[in-house]
Amino acid sequence: MLIREAGILFNGIPIIFTSYHRASKERTNLVCSSGLMSGLLSFAECLMEPVEYFESDKYSIVFKKGTINDLFRDIQEIVAFMVIDKDPRLEKYLKKTIQPLLNKLLKSFVSQFNGCNLTKVGQFERFKETLNKIFGTGTQTLEERVVSLLA
């Protein structure tokens, strides 16, 4: 399963996001696609709970919800997500690999930014290093893994 994109959403806005392999060649508006993703998740959760992922013909979007205290000590909901290539083994790896990775992402983010102003997204830029460490080789294509082993 190749990880295409990963990040954290707050109120439908990506506060930290990274794209490893573009899912399409066309430029997309990150805020619009994140808003759509949040809207779909909210709608689906009105019908059934919990929603762990959405699947399309080519990709799967996996979600994990968490909470963080904001600047005013109010509890806010944040959502960690990962866009991966569709794989028939998703159910097999969801509980033992993917969800723990998203949990680790949420815990790391909350430990670093608990009590901060969530609307100032520039402060989260340094968290991209942590994001890359958490997802590691899942972001590399087979060719990139081989090259890194030979180097």
Side-chain angles (χ1 to χ4, degrees):
M1 283 184 251
L2 183 65
I3 299 171
R4 298 281 180 174
E5 301 171 358
I8 296 179
L9 304 174
F10 170 65
N11 289 336
I13 297 179
I15 57 176
I16 185 67
F17 171 86
T18 190
S19 179
Y20 298 106
H21 300 277
R22 291 196 49 80
S24 72
K25 292 181 175 144
E26 300 160 11
R27 292 286 296 164
T28 57
N29 185 319
L30 177 59
V31 174
C32 288
S33 23
S34 298
L36 177 63
M37 199 180 327
S38 290
L40 286 171
L41 182 60
S42 295
F43 175 74
E45 287 184 336
C46 288
L47 301 174
M48 62 193 144
E49 263 197 63
V51 175
E52 295 178 322
Y53 65 92
F54 292 123
E55 215 168 36
S56 73
D57 289 344
K58 294 182 179 182
Y59 307 106
S60 299
I61 306 170
V62 184
F63 301 97
K64 181 72 179 165
K65 286 187 169 186
T67 58
I68 189 169
N69 289 317
D70 66 8
L71 182 64
F72 306 105
R73 298 288 177 219
D74 292 331
I75 297 174
Q76 301 291 338
E77 183 177 87
I78 55 176
V79 178
F81 73 94
M82 180 187 318
V83 179
I84 56 177
D85 285 345
K86 185 176 178 179
D87 190 316
R89 304 170 297 167
L90 178 63
E91 283 290 328
K92 178 180 177 183
Y93 292 107
L94 188 65
K95 297 280 189 237
K96 67 179 183 180
T97 307
I98 298 171
Q99 289 290 354
L101 281 174
L102 290 175
N103 242 355
K104 187 175 181 179
L105 174 63
L106 284 171
K107 284 182 183 180
S108 295
F109 185 81
V110 169
S111 70
Q112 286 186 37
F113 298 106
N114 201 35
C116 74
N117 185 348
L118 296 173
T119 60
K120 294 187 177 182
V121 295
Q123 68 187 321
F124 306 123
E125 203 52 39
R126 68 177 192 245
F127 190 74
K128 279 190 179 182
E129 290 175 27
T130 304
L131 214 150
N132 290 333
K133 285 178 188 173
I134 291 171
F135 293 117
T137 59
T139 63
Q140 296 178 334
T141 63
L142 179 60
E143 294 82 22
E144 290 170 336
R145 282 187 223 154
V146 170
V147 168
S148 69
L149 289 172
L150 296 175

